[in-house]
Structure formats: structure tokens, C-alpha cells
């Protein structure tokens, strides 16, 4: 058995969760679509760590961040009751768009389970693109992985 995965470096955020029974198929393997939910969990916590919740951004500031592109690659199955770590990094920050990269690891053996990315556009309540507010941009730049 391998060692537990190393915590992420730089501006990455790590969130841990346990694979729940309803997230699996009859063989106890996590359904592939749940990885996108776990990506969202990581992204939400990265933003929360910067002092910005989605609820605040949407309700108070009227900014939404729909997914405009997504990709995932699966390496090893996550199984029922596995503790997994979702590492999230902001890797691109434009005027309107931003890209997050994700890695999903199993805690018990450090195995890489999946990797992926999401690209988001900032839009107003009317659904039209808006520039990221300067204060939010400054916060995001502090965790931008320029590597």
C-alpha cells in the first residue's frame, strides 16, 4: 500500500470527502458524473477561502459563473466509502473567463483517480458576459498558478 497523498502546493485548495453509496453503481464504483460535482466542491471552497461565496457573488453582486467548457480523464475508480481529496487550482484568469484544474486522489493509497478542468465565464443576471470585478480579480490573482 502506498502513502497518503501530499497536500497541494502553491495556491491550490484541497477538499476531502467520502464517496457515498448513492454516488456509486451496483459494483460500488463512483459514477463518472459525480466527479464534476466533486470538481464544483473544490472550486466552491477555493472561492470561499478567498472570502467569496457563490451565494454572495450571485445574490449580492449579480455575477454568475456558468461552466462553458469541461473535461475529465479517469485513471482509477473511486469506490464506495473511499475518502478522496479534490485538489483545485486556478490556472487561467482572463477578463471574463477563468479556468480551474482538478486532481482527485484516494487518501488510503495516494492513487490518482481523475483529473479535469472547467472553464467559466462571468455573466450578469441577464446572462451577458461581464468583466470580473477588480476586487475579485485581485483576490483570484493571489492563487493563480502561473507554473
Amino acid at each position: 500500500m502506498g502513502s497518503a497523498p501530499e497536500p497541494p502546493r502553491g495556491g491550490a485548495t484541497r477538499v476531502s470527502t467520502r464517496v457515498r453509496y448513492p454516488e456509486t453503481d451496483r459494483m460500488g464504483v463512483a459514477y463518472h458524473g459525480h466527479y464534476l460535482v466533486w470538481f464544483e466542491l473544490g472550486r466552491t471552497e477555493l472561492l470561499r477561502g478567498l472570502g467569496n461565496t457563490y451565494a454572495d457573488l450571485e445574490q449580492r453582486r449579480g455575477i454568475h459563473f456558468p461552466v462553458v467548457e469541461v473535461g475529465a480523464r479517469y485513471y482509477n475508480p473511486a469506490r464506495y466509502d473511499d475518502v478522496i481529496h479534490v485538489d483545485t487550482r486556478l490556472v487561467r484568469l482572463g477578463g471574463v473567463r477563468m479556468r480551474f484544474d482538478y486532481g482527485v486522489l484516494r487518501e488510503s493509497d495516494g492513487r490518482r483517480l481523475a483529473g479535469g478542468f472547467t472553464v467559466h465565464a462571468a455573466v450578469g443576471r441577464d446572462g451577458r458576459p461581464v468583466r470580473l470585478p477588480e476586487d475579485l480579480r485581485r483576490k483570484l490573482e493571489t492563487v493563480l498558478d502561473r507554473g
Side-chain angles (χ1 to χ4, degrees), residues 36 39 67 69-74 100 102 115-119:
L36 301 180
F39 292 173
V67 175
E69 187 178 354
V70 65
R73 179 157 184 169
Y74 305 96
F100 297 90
Y102 309 92
F117 71 93
T118 56
V119 177

Side-chain angles (χ1 to χ4, degrees), residues 53-108:
T53 66
Y54 268 117
D56 180 58
L57 291 167
E58 292 175 355
Q59 294 167 8
R60 189 172 66 81
R61 299 178 80 170
I63 301 170
H64 300 264
F65 296 100
V67 175
V68 297
E69 187 178 354
V70 65
R73 179 157 184 169
Y74 305 96
Y75 301 101
N76 293 287
R79 299 189 180 276
Y80 170 64
D81 212 35
D82 280 348
V83 174
I84 59 171
H85 300 296
V86 181
D87 295 340
T88 305
R89 287 180 172 75
L90 176 65
V91 297
R92 195 174 314 136
L93 184 61
V96 172
R97 291 183 179 218
M98 54 188 163
R99 176 182 163 141
F100 297 90
D101 284 359
Y102 309 92
V104 181
L105 308 165
R106 183 174 21 248
E107 182 178 75
S108 64

Side-chain angles (χ1 to χ4, degrees), residues 12-144:
T13 297
R14 172 167 283 176
V15 175
S16 299
T17 190
R18 187 176 298 274
V19 179
R20 298 171 303 157
Y21 186 77
E23 295 171 322
T24 64
D25 60 20
R26 291 181 63 177
M27 297 185 327
V29 173
Y31 174 68
H32 69 275
H34 286 289
Y35 287 82
L36 301 180
V37 174
W38 298 332
F39 292 173
E40 182 178 357
L41 177 65
R43 186 174 64 252
T44 299
E45 292 308 312
L46 185 146
L47 289 171
R48 185 183 315 279
L50 294 174
N52 294 281
T53 66
Y54 268 117
D56 180 58
L57 291 167
E58 292 175 355
Q59 294 167 8
R60 189 172 66 81
R61 299 178 80 170
I63 301 170
H64 300 264
F65 296 100
V67 175
V68 297
E69 187 178 354
V70 65
R73 179 157 184 169
Y74 305 96
Y75 301 101
N76 293 287
R79 299 189 180 276
Y80 170 64
D81 212 35
D82 280 348
V83 174
I84 59 171
H85 300 296
V86 181
D87 295 340
T88 305
R89 287 180 172 75
L90 176 65
V91 297
R92 195 174 314 136
L93 184 61
V96 172
R97 291 183 179 218
M98 54 188 163
R99 176 182 163 141
F100 297 90
D101 284 359
Y102 309 92
V104 181
L105 308 165
R106 183 174 21 248
E107 182 178 75
S108 64
D109 61 7
R111 270 198 177 213
R112 179 171 60 164
L113 304 179
F117 71 93
T118 56
V119 177
H120 302 262
V123 300
R125 287 188 176 103
D126 60 1
R128 293 185 179 191
V130 296
R131 292 192 62 78
L132 291 168
E134 195 55 40
D135 63 314
L136 177 58
R137 170 178 290 293
R138 280 193 304 273
K139 288 179 182 180
L140 289 167
E141 286 176 347
T142 67
V143 296
L144 181 62

